[in-house]
Amino acid sequence: MNVAEAVGAALAALGVRAAFGVVGSGNFHVTNALVEHGVRYVAARHEGGAATMADAYARMSGTVAVLTVHQGPGLTNALTGVTEAAKSRTPLLVLAPEVTSLTSNFRVDQTALAEAVGAHCARVGSAETVVDDTVMAFLAALLGRRTVVLNLPLDVQAETLPEEAAEAVRELLAGRGHRDVASRVPAAWGLTFPVDSGDDEEPEGLPAEPSDALTRFTRLLAEARRPVFVAGRGARGARRELEALGERVGALFATSAVAKGNFHGSPWDLDVSGGFATPLAAELIRDADLVVGWGCSFTMWTTRHGALIGPETKVVQVDLDPDALGVHREIHLGVVGDVRETARAVAALLGEGVADGEAGRRGYRAPEIAERIAREGRWRDVPYEDLSAGGRIDPRTLTIGLDDLLPQERLVAVDSGNFMGYPSMFLTVPDGGAFCFTQAFQSIGLGLATAIGAAVARPDRLAVAALGDGGALMGVAELETVVRLGLPMVVVVYDDDGYGAEVHHFGPGGFPLGTVTFPPADIAAIARGFGFEAVTVRGEEDLSGVAEWLKGPRDKPLLVHAKVIADRPSWWLEEAFRGH
């Protein structure tokens, strides 16, 4: 057994279930070793797509995903997707072969590249250390919730393992490795195997220890008259605990955009906080006297540049990472801890009367509030003038029509661009594990690959990719991947014949727009060339083609080429450009 084979075997034994990539000479053997030991390998058409597929798979599955690339240009091609994953704290392990010859065309400083985009960098040093090096890189991704680039020097990959190292690999494969790995990890890390979230469940976190911060937090909750809980991605799997605590203190629920759907179905759900918030959500969040961010970093997007936090509102942030507390805005109290366990601990303290028995009041949960949420709580409840005309459909009308047609058991992946608010706000999702929003780096062109990774992780749900025309054409090669994998996916392209964000940002100033507008493209015909079924939608009546596809047999994926109105900006666009 050589080092490349050992890395693949060890990762399979540690619980890796899927790897994404483009194979070249440098990662050929390690990728085949992954496959040999039961890891599903998904071949993408470009490393950038592969990186984003792996990112989305990790988000939707709750497991560590693997990206495998060629040395040098394979890694540089993947960098945008790796950056998105690193900024999102996705547990992703990148297997990056590394040349050692100073004269190789493939030589770049891969460590510097990884660190420059916020990823952690590690290296397999030798055949003697391959098991330890691989295990520790895996644990850094898993426990640190971070993206790790594991450099695999080409000369080291070919080394034969000494018997002791080979035996360690065999022990991992025999199932004894989980116990061995756990024994190497400090007890305070709370590692639990196997690493698999299931649907919305996450591994149990560390029990929260009594602390002054928990006591202060409990008192703030008990004193609050209008509390709002904002759940971020770090709250995934903690819905039950947050709802129980919210019931105790009378809290309303909201989410950051990446956690959309976390409280779907609750009568107290305000949906997304921030630029995509409904007028009602914005009003009620702004009027809160206590806002608690649960695994939510309170970025400018979630707070509308701070406008959703009232001047007298107290702000509490709960996060596993102490370095995340108070980064994006001033907070009154930071609590370091797992979201689920912190919610449990605070509920217990309330039960013990730590807060002078004030908890349990109705809080924000008055009947009139419930009635307003039921009546005004969704964007489709907000009246609007349908601007469909001239062979182009209003994107609101389009998205509401799709929301009515598509099955509820869906997952939605959204690319970046002028259009992105429409699917984010008008398409409902059934829970917090059904919305994949790769927007930490704000790159367009990631949406299709995001949907592919999410669909591989959740084959029980219909994947819906929402793209702009610019992003769709950037990632167009991965249409072949959708067809090859046999994914019964719906790809919706909001086509306004240009980079709409730039058109609407610079157009009012009288600037020339020839660099950001394009002649019409028949994206439906392009999709058919890849093996899709396709419909072109210019008016609401054209959605009948989507209804027909949904009836079955769905043996081909469907692309919906929507020619949307191009003369109006998205309502959130001006807000978004304030952050540029």
Side-chain angles (χ1 to χ4, degrees):
M1 179 184 295
N2 64 26
V3 165
E5 295 164 341
V7 170
L11 291 174
L14 288 167
V16 170
R17 298 202 310 257
F20 301 78
V22 175
V23 171
S25 59
N27 63 327
F28 184 84
H29 295 298
V30 70
T31 304
N32 280 342
L34 288 165
V35 174
E36 178 186 350
H37 293 287
V39 176
R40 180 181 182 181
Y41 173 67
V42 177
R45 285 299 186 173
H46 190 278
E47 289 91 350
T52 302
M53 292 175 201
D55 179 10
Y57 180 91
R59 296 184 192 213
M60 294 291 102
S61 69
T63 64
V64 175
V66 164
L67 169 66
T68 170
V69 297
H70 185 60
Q71 62 268 25
L75 180 60
T76 57
N77 277 349
L79 273 183
T80 296
V82 171
T83 304
E84 170 66 34
K87 285 179 174 289
S88 299
R89 297 298 295 266
T90 298
L92 174 64
L93 185 60
V94 182
L95 302 182
E98 183 181 39
V99 299
T100 53
S101 169
L102 294 176
T103 59
S104 171
N105 288 341
F106 293 131
R107 183 174 177 80
V108 290
D109 190 340
Q110 295 189 173
T111 297
L113 285 174
E115 292 176 347
V117 301
H120 175 70
C121 204
R123 177 173 284 102
V124 172
S126 68
E128 289 77 13
T129 66
V130 60
V131 175
D132 281 343
D133 294 339
T134 303
V135 167
M136 295 314 293
F138 173 84
L139 292 177
L142 170 68
L143 300 175
R145 297 185 182 179
R146 67 198 312 179
T147 295
V148 177
V149 174
L150 180 60
N151 286 312
L152 307 175
L154 294 179
D155 54 349
V156 174
Q157 283 194 55
E159 292 180 3
T160 300
L161 267 64
E163 180 54 31
E164 183 180 355
E167 179 60 24
V169 174
R170 288 192 289 270
E171 287 185 356
L172 280 172
L173 290 170
R176 297 189 297 275
H178 285 173
R179 292 189 294 275
D180 292 342
V181 171
S183 70
R184 303 179 192 200
V185 180
W189 287 12
L191 179 62
T192 302
F193 285 102
V195 184
D196 186 352
S197 71
D199 289 339
D200 291 323
E201 292 298 320
E202 294 288 333
E204 290 290 322
L206 289 176
E209 297 294 330
S211 68
D212 177 62
L214 281 177
T215 301
R216 291 170 59 199
F217 182 21
T218 303
R219 288 176 175 151
L220 285 172
L221 280 171
E223 294 166 359
R225 301 290 174 177
R226 299 181 305 281
V228 171
F229 290 176
V230 182
R233 189 174 163 201
R236 187 178 177 193
R239 173 172 177 167
R240 185 182 302 111
E241 288 76 14
L242 292 179
E243 286 192 324
L245 182 59
E247 177 71 22
R248 294 284 303 278
V249 300
L252 303 181
F253 302 124
T255 71
S256 63
V258 293
K260 177 180 170 66
N262 193 70
F263 300 109
H264 178 73
S266 167
W268 307 108
D269 179 23
L270 301 177
D271 203 26
V272 174
S273 170
F276 298 153
T278 63
L280 176 64
E283 173 192 333
L284 294 175
I285 295 169
R286 192 178 293 115
D287 287 346
D289 59 357
L290 174 67
V291 172
V292 183
W294 298 91
C296 164
S297 54
F298 284 127
T299 65
M300 62 181 181
W301 308 111
T302 305
T303 66
R304 280 194 186 172
H305 298 268
L308 289 189
I309 307 295
E312 304 301 321
T313 304
K314 291 184 172 61
V315 179
V316 176
Q317 186 179 354
V318 180
D319 203 288
L320 265 179
D321 182 5
D323 293 334
L325 299 176
V327 169
H328 294 284
R329 64 155 293 118
E330 184 179 350
I331 59 177
H332 294 81
L333 177 65
V335 180
V336 178
D338 173 82
V339 166
R340 176 190 288 170
E341 298 303 326
T342 300
R344 287 174 175 171
V346 171
L349 288 172
L350 286 169
E352 294 168 6
V354 168
D356 300 323
E358 293 184 55
R361 70 172 64 84
R362 192 169 58 182
Y364 232 163
R365 297 191 174 190
E368 57 271 22
I369 296 294
E371 291 170 7
R372 289 194 66 192
I373 293 173
R375 187 174 63 248
E376 308 169 42
R378 299 182 300 168
W379 266 108
R380 64 184 298 160
D381 300 325
V382 179
Y384 71 95
E385 178 188 358
D386 188 338
L387 300 176
S388 302
R392 289 186 176 271
I393 189 170
D394 190 310
R396 295 166 292 187
T397 302
L398 166 73
T399 314
I400 290 171
L402 291 170
D403 192 49
D404 289 339
L405 286 171
L406 296 171
Q408 287 302 303
E409 284 301 307
R410 66 183 73 155
L411 59 85
V412 176
V414 181
D415 206 342
S416 190
N418 177 59
F419 77 96
M420 62 190 285
Y422 301 113
S424 298
M425 295 312 302
F426 288 95
L427 285 181
T428 56
V429 291
D431 52 51
F435 192 69
C436 203
F437 199 61
T438 44
Q439 296 291 335
F441 197 35
Q442 288 183 257
S443 172
I444 71 170
L446 305 186
L448 180 57
T450 297
I452 294 171
V456 172
R458 295 299 307 269
D460 56 314
R461 290 182 169 173
L462 177 67
V464 181
L467 320 174
D469 53 307
L473 292 171
M474 278 189 181
V476 72
E478 302 305 348
L479 291 175
E480 188 278 335
T481 304
V482 176
V483 174
R484 173 166 34 88
L485 295 179
L487 300 174
M489 181 185 296
V490 176
V491 177
V492 184
V493 180
Y494 293 73
D495 182 8
D496 61 2
D497 298 331
Y499 294 134
E502 284 66 35
V503 167
H504 297 299
H505 183 59
F506 295 107
F511 295 99
L513 299 175
T515 56
V516 291
T517 55
F518 301 92
D522 192 343
I523 297 174
I526 293 171
R528 291 188 191 101
F530 279 103
F532 272 67
E533 290 189 24
V535 297
T536 298
V537 176
R538 295 180 178 274
E540 193 171 3
E541 65 279 1
D542 296 327
L543 288 172
S544 60
V546 179
E548 286 300 311
W549 181 87
L550 288 168
K551 292 176 183 177
R554 306 188 197 176
D555 53 349
K556 293 181 179 181
L558 175 70
L559 184 133
V560 180
H561 181 200
K563 302 294 288 187
V564 298
I565 56 174
D567 58 349
R568 297 290 182 94
S570 297
W571 75 90
W572 58 273
L573 192 63
E574 183 177 356
E575 190 80 34
F577 269 109
R578 288 177 58 196
H580 283 225

